[in-house]
Structure formats: C-alpha cells, structure tokens
Amino acid sequence: MEDGTAERIRPRDRILETARDMFHKHGIKGVGVDAITEAAGTNKMTLYRHFESKDDLVIECLRATACSANAMWQKFEAEHPGDKLAQLHAWVRMAADCLMMDGRGCDMANAAIELSETDHPARRVIKELKQAQRDRLVGLCRDAGIGQPELLADTLSLLLEGARVSLQSVGAEGPSAQFVRMAEGLISSFRAR
C-alpha cells in the first residue's frame, strides 16, 4: 500500500485486509496486533476502536473469507446459468486453482487447527461457515441430479482438504496434482449410480 492507496481505504477495511493477509501467511498466533497495525499504517487505538479484541478481528477475517467464497458461488451461477452440473465442474476447477495458488490451504481449516481451544469464539463461526459451504455443495450436487448428494459433497470436500495437506507436505508434484482427475472421476462415478 505504498502508492497512497492506504490513505484512501478506510482504517477498518485496511486493518481487516492486512490482518487477513498476515493471518493467511503467518498464522493467527504468529501475528500480533502490533504487527497488524504497523503493516496497516495505523495504531492499536484505531484497531480496538473497530474490533473489540484480536479474537473479534479473527472472526471478521473469517467472515470476509466466507464472503469471498460466496462470490465464487455467484460466479459459477453467472457463468453457467441453470446448468448445475457445469457449476459443479466449475467448483472443481476453482478448488484446483485455489489449491495451487499459494499452498497455505484453507483459512478456516487453518484457523480451526490453530485455535484448538473448544470455547474459542472463532470456532463457532468456523463451524457455521464450513457447514454453510457444505450445505451449498450438497445442494449443488442434488440440483445437478447426482444420487447421494451428501456423500458426494462430503467426499469432494475431504478430497480437497486432503489435497491441501498433501500439497503442504509433499509439494505440487505429489497426490494433490491429481485433484481434478480424482474429483471428476468421483462425479462421474456418482452420476453413473
């Protein structure tokens, strides 16, 4: 934000954008509010004026991630109006693109692992947002005429989560490189039932 755009973005949005980026790159526990405010070109007083606590900031970051995911679903619908099977194939391609984008994985899954305290306020939000994504994928599978839509959605989700872990542990040449082929094979298999 060295080109003066930091001055044009509202402080709350600047803090949120900076925190999302830093949490994604370094983990939630690896980043303190001092580092966030410095990178956002603001101060702690401004951060706490907009967010009651770091936990509140984490929750807002996760909600912003969910909004980005919702935009992807809307893109599928716009690009393939009325064609739910094409939207499902678009989901597979998008998932593969996200997989290879930076290798850091899903912000929500990473947060769930990092925030291991069962009573952490973000855990409820993570569960709600992950459930909403699952429900959306189940609905898409159902609307695409797939038998056992819940099973296919769960299988695709677990395949994606496993591909993310594989990418982080063995690199892009490992099993994650086969994600699209495996996902498309699953869809074909469920359609043939």
Side-chain angles (χ1 to χ4, degrees), residues 79-94:
E79 290 177 353
H80 308 284
D83 189 343
K84 300 301 181 177
L85 187 58
Q87 291 175 28
L88 183 56
H89 291 295
W91 179 89
V92 169
R93 287 188 305 278
M94 177 278 309

Side-chain angles (χ1 to χ4, degrees), residues 40-82:
T42 190
N43 56 52
K44 284 169 62 171
M45 187 169 66
T46 302
L47 184 144
Y48 289 120
R49 187 178 319 126
H50 294 286
F51 305 96
E52 291 182 22
S53 65
K54 182 180 174 185
D55 290 344
D56 187 41
L57 176 59
V58 168
I59 289 167
E60 289 305 311
C61 287
L62 293 170
R63 287 188 174 132
T65 297
C67 285
S68 297
N70 287 337
M72 285 188 258
W73 289 100
Q74 292 168 356
K75 181 180 176 191
F76 303 153
E77 293 167 3
E79 290 177 353
H80 308 284

